[in-house]
Every structure is written in C-alpha cells, then in structure tokens.
C-alpha cells in the first residue's frame, strides 16, 4: 500500500475515484469549439448558430497576445493628444481590441456571409448582445467539456 494525499491506494487496483492528470485538461475541448444557437435581440429564436472557441484555446491566446502588443504602444500614439481627445482615442483602441478578441473566438457560423475576421468584428461590434454571449460562454469550461464529450 502507498499513502498519497491521504488516500490509500492499492497499487494493483485502480479505483474510479483516483483522478488522472488528463481529467484536468481543457485545451483540446476549447480548440474544438462548441456550437451555440443565436437568438434575435427580441429574444426570439433564429435559424443561425455560431461555433466558438473556448478561452483555453490556442486561438484565444494568440488573439490576446496580438492585442496586448497593439495596445502596448498606445502611449506613444497618444503623446501629442490631450484631454478628452486622448481619452477618446484610448477608449476607441481598447474597444477595437475587445472586438478583435471576440472575433477570434468565433470559429464558424451559419450565415451566408463568409466568416472572415472583418465580418466577425463587424458582427460583434453591431450585435453587442452576441459579443456578450460569446464572452460569457467562451469562459465556461464545464460547458466545453460536457459538449465535447457528447461528440
């Protein structure tokens, strides 16, 4: 017998309550993405869905790094601006960065329009309720793991 973490483990048997390291992995499910239904702003159902990546996906980490680099130079860009103009510029760039990150979380959609980065950013910018939905769901690791196990 071996005592590990206060639990006696019979080295010849594997008990179901012993957790393997892989049970903590979330990246694969986040990279797969999940399909979510889209509702109209009125709350009604629509025929459309989007497939989104999770926050543990490679796509999300890349997007964050790109946007962090872009924003790191913002102080240089605003050095000649003052007051309200300076704040407006910073706010605009930060908002553009948020739209870009949300756009990177969209893997695919059922719209006829091509799922390009430009179209994804236009979508989340003009449908903020969808951006909120993407933001909330992409961070729900349990949902990605549960839906990933169904497929």
């Amino acid at each position: 017998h071996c005592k590990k973490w206060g639990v006696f483990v019979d080295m010849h048997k594997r008990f179901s309550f012993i957790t393997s390291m892989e049970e903590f992995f979330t990246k694969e499910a986040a990279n797969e993405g999940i399909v979510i239904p889209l509702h109209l702003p009125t709350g009604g159902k629509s025929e459309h869905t989007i497939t989104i990546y999770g926050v543990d996906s490679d796509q999300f980490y890349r997007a964050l790094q790109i946007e962090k680099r872009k924003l790191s130079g913002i102080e240089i860009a605003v050095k000649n601006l003052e007051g309200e103009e300076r704040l407006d510029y910073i706010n605009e760039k930060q908002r553009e960065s948020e739209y870009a990150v949300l756009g990177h979380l969209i893997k695919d959609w059922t719209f006829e329009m091509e799922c390009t980065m430009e179209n994804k950013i236009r979508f989340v910018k003009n449908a903020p309720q969808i951006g909120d939905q993407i933001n909330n769901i992409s961070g729900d690791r349990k949902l990605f793991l549960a839906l990933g196990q169904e497929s």
Side-chain angles (χ1 to χ4, degrees):
H1 292 305
C2 173
K3 186 174 181 176
K4 255 187 175 172
W5 302 289
V7 177
F8 286 100
V9 178
D10 182 350
M11 298 305 281
H12 302 290
K13 293 182 183 177
R14 180 182 160 120
F15 295 102
S16 62
F17 62 86
I18 302 297
T19 303
S20 70
M21 185 186 310
E22 288 79 19
E23 291 180 66
F24 292 95
F25 293 178
T26 59
K27 192 172 190 167
E28 184 178 339
N31 280 329
E32 279 285 314
I34 58 171
V35 177
I36 58 172
L38 295 179
H39 292 85
L40 299 169
T42 59
K45 292 183 179 182
S46 84
E47 63 190 53
H48 293 288
T49 63
I50 58 175
T51 304
I52 63 170
Y53 295 106
V55 295
D56 294 331
S57 67
D58 295 323
Q59 191 73 6
F60 181 69
Y61 284 121
R62 266 193 300 270
L64 278 182
Q65 295 310 311
I66 289 167
E67 295 307 314
K68 282 180 183 178
R69 281 193 299 276
K70 285 182 187 176
L71 290 176
S72 68
I74 202 164
E75 287 301 319
I76 296 168
V78 297
K79 70 179 180 180
N80 294 325
L81 301 177
E82 294 181 13
E84 198 69 27
E85 188 179 19
R86 180 185 178 98
L87 289 175
D88 287 346
Y89 182 85
I90 291 171
N91 287 337
E92 178 186 338
K93 293 303 177 190
Q94 288 174 330
R95 195 70 184 136
E96 286 175 9
S97 181
E98 290 173 21
Y99 295 141
V101 170
L102 288 171
H104 277 89
L105 284 170
I106 298 173
K107 182 177 183 178
D108 201 8
W109 58 33
T110 58
F111 298 111
E112 288 183 25
M113 182 182 303
E114 191 177 351
C115 191
T116 65
M117 183 53 63
E118 181 181 342
N119 288 337
K120 292 188 279 187
I121 290 172
R122 183 172 162 257
F123 184 51
V124 296
K125 181 178 183 176
N126 292 293
Q129 74 281 7
I130 302 299
D132 289 344
Q133 187 179 11
I134 293 167
N135 192 34
N136 292 331
I137 293 174
S138 65
D140 188 346
R141 290 177 174 98
K142 290 182 287 196
L143 186 58
F144 280 82
L145 293 171
L147 292 176
Q149 291 172 351
E150 289 176 5
S151 48

